[in-house]
Amino acid sequence: MATVDETGRDAVRRREQRGWVWYDWANSVFPTSVTTVFGALYLTSVAAEAALRDTALNGPNPCPADAQGTRDKLRDCAIGVFGLNFPAGSLWGYLLSVATVIQVLVLPIMGAFADRAQAKRRMLAVFAFGGAAATTGMAFVADANWQLGVVLFVLGNIGYGTSVVIYYSFLPEIATADERDGVSTRGWAFGYLGGGLALALQLGVYVFHDALGLSTANSAQIAFATSGLWWALFTIIPLRALRGRAAPPRHEQGSVFTAGFRELGRTLRAAKKFPLTLAFLGTYLVYTDGISTVANVSAQYGSEQLRFSDTVLIATILVVQFVAFAGGVLHGLVAKRLGAKKTIMASLAVWVLVVASAYFVQPGQVVQYLLLAAGIGLVLGGTNALSRSLFSQMIPPGREAQYFSVYEVGERATSWLGPLLFAGMAQATGSYRYAIISLVVFFFAGLVLISFVPVRRAIRAVGNDEPDVL
């Protein structure tokens, strides 16, 4: 029979878990609404208009002669920064690349700092509210000041990435080995539900902007403002639920920040002692590259190969978001019976079938495309959620934020492989069908590789307790 103290501790832990999942709900609006939908749409438009204005005022002409009023031609207008000139239509791609490089440099340092200072709750607040403020500030980007939008997006991206690393690092502290799969999948599912709901409201404003007396630019600005406010307001829930934890004893000279650099170096060196953890991480990086690529190119496939309208593509985004909620919950239930590793393997097998079926979707067949989107949504959230919980069990205690920063950085550092294969196959074959089916290789390789990773040995090697089902 549990003692009063044990019952009290269990109640506190459950409360923390319930609060923790709300941060997935809070932050998902950034990658969904800002990065996937409105960022590219709005900043490209502002940059192109700025180039067109420069043409009228200064010359020489950086735009095609027939650019005025034509969206596709406006994207060809040249803009410049630091002496480099490029088409406005390329701005978003370059911005995503730069933002990713900055995250690769920042996240490991912040992870080491968080573990050493043991100020995770405070750091979560700083980066979450900072990222939310930068996102809200994007609503004030107008006229020709696209450079302000670039700076604010980079700051928002840093806030998002760093807060997610710190958020992940709470998982081993608030959930036992047997609880983590369920907690992680609930969080991921909750994130898709929150991101989908916010996006649905914003797209409602965007689609019906004329009836509301708004311009398309106004509706995008409203999306940025509501995204930042959504992120900030719902972050309050996990901050109230999560507890601060005492810092472990340290015997180092110097500031917490400079010692964080040294500790990161030690972590990277020490990681070599846990080759099975690194083996799982390497396997994860293979199949998560496939997941992110499918998510990023599915709209392009629908538009260029299948010739669907923007309305169909918007509906597809929402289908993926809401089905991913159900998929995340389902993965948690299956993992409770089969274990995380077997469930991930089953999910990867479904990925192979779904991506292969994309080859056979016919142009104009909306039902086929929506069924494909539903299949993607079914496995989209659950695969990553179980990978997160499984990796958390392979991390040495006290190094959670540092290892999760490497986890996130690794994901970003390899995220160019899938798009490169997709683009290369499209160019070589002249067809997006061969490009999309080529992505099956990431899921098949991940399925084979993870089957050889002895996860129980990996968990024992770092000194953690094994879950009953794995």
Side-chain angles (χ1 to χ4, degrees), residues 34-364:
V34 178
T35 304
T36 303
V37 180
F38 291 102
L41 176 73
Y42 188 63
L43 284 187
T44 300
S45 174
V46 172
E49 292 290 349
L52 195 62
R53 180 178 300 181
D54 287 344
T55 298
L57 295 178
N58 304 317
N61 190 354
C63 292
D66 57 348
Q68 183 68 48
T70 306
R71 187 178 70 176
D72 292 339
K73 294 295 184 180
L74 277 173
R75 292 176 179 271
D76 293 331
C77 293
I79 57 175
V81 61
F82 300 127
L84 301 175
N85 295 313
F86 50 88
S90 300
L91 171 63
W92 188 246
Y94 288 132
L95 177 56
L96 289 178
S97 298
V98 171
T100 298
V101 170
I102 292 174
Q103 276 198 343
V104 167
L105 297 174
V106 170
L107 294 191
I109 303 304
M110 290 297 101
F113 181 77
D115 278 333
R116 188 180 192 280
Q118 285 292 298
K120 292 180 182 178
R121 184 170 172 273
R122 188 182 312 149
M123 289 185 66
L124 178 62
V126 168
F127 285 101
F129 289 138
T135 301
T136 303
M138 292 179 69
F140 298 98
V141 175
D143 298 325
N145 60 347
W146 60 269
Q147 296 92 339
L148 174 62
V150 167
V151 172
L152 290 173
F153 177 79
V154 170
L155 292 177
N157 204 48
I158 292 172
Y160 170 75
T162 306
S163 66
V164 163
V165 166
I166 298 168
Y167 166 65
Y168 286 2
S169 72
F170 274 101
L171 184 58
E173 299 176 353
I174 65 171
T176 65
D178 289 315
E179 294 171 336
R180 289 181 201 173
D181 291 342
V183 173
S184 183
T185 52
R186 283 199 301 275
W188 214 283
F190 219 43
Y192 277 109
L193 183 61
L197 179 59
L199 181 60
L201 296 173
Q202 292 161 348
L203 287 175
V205 174
Y206 182 77
V207 170
F208 299 105
H209 64 270
D210 286 334
L212 297 171
L214 302 171
S215 65
T216 55
N218 293 149
S219 59
Q221 290 170 318
I222 290 172
F224 293 136
T226 54
S227 294
L229 293 173
W230 179 287
W231 186 359
L233 289 174
F234 285 110
T235 295
I236 295 173
I237 299 175
L239 290 178
R240 287 175 62 87
L242 294 170
R243 296 178 299 153
R245 284 164 170 81
R250 304 285 182 177
H251 306 286
E252 298 183 12
Q253 300 297 318
S255 70
V256 171
F257 186 76
T258 56
F261 282 87
R262 293 194 294 271
E263 192 152 327
L264 172 63
R266 284 197 297 271
T267 296
L268 295 176
R269 291 191 295 271
K272 298 177 183 178
K273 299 178 182 178
F274 307 113
L276 297 181
T277 298
L278 296 179
F280 175 79
L281 178 59
T283 299
Y284 167 75
L285 296 180
V286 171
Y287 63 77
T288 196
D289 193 10
I291 292 173
S292 64
T293 303
V294 170
N296 291 334
V297 305
S298 56
Q300 182 181 11
Y301 184 69
S303 175
E304 301 294 336
Q305 182 69 45
L306 305 178
R307 303 299 180 185
F308 288 124
S309 66
D310 288 347
T311 302
V312 172
L313 298 179
I314 288 172
T316 303
I317 292 173
L318 294 177
V319 167
V320 170
Q321 289 293 125
F322 290 113
V323 174
F325 166 72
V329 174
L330 179 62
H331 276 71
L333 295 174
V334 174
K336 195 171 183 179
R337 297 182 64 86
L338 300 182
K341 178 181 174 179
K342 291 179 180 177
T343 306
I344 291 172
M345 292 176 66
S347 185
L348 292 174
V350 174
W351 269 110
V352 170
L353 295 175
V354 169
V355 175
S357 68
Y359 178 88
F360 300 98
V361 177
Q362 297 302 307

Side-chain angles (χ1 to χ4, degrees), residues 281-297 348 351 355 380 383-384 387 407-408 410-422 436 438-443 445-446:
L281 178 59
T283 299
Y284 167 75
L285 296 180
V286 171
Y287 63 77
T288 196
D289 193 10
I291 292 173
S292 64
T293 303
V294 170
N296 291 334
V297 305
L348 292 174
W351 269 110
V355 175
L380 181 62
T383 314
N384 281 330
S387 301
Y407 180 89
E408 286 291 295
E411 181 178 335
R412 285 158 174 75
T414 59
S415 61
W416 55 273
L417 292 171
L420 178 64
L421 176 61
F422 182 84
I436 198 73
S438 70
L439 300 179
V440 167
V441 67
F442 290 97
F443 303 104

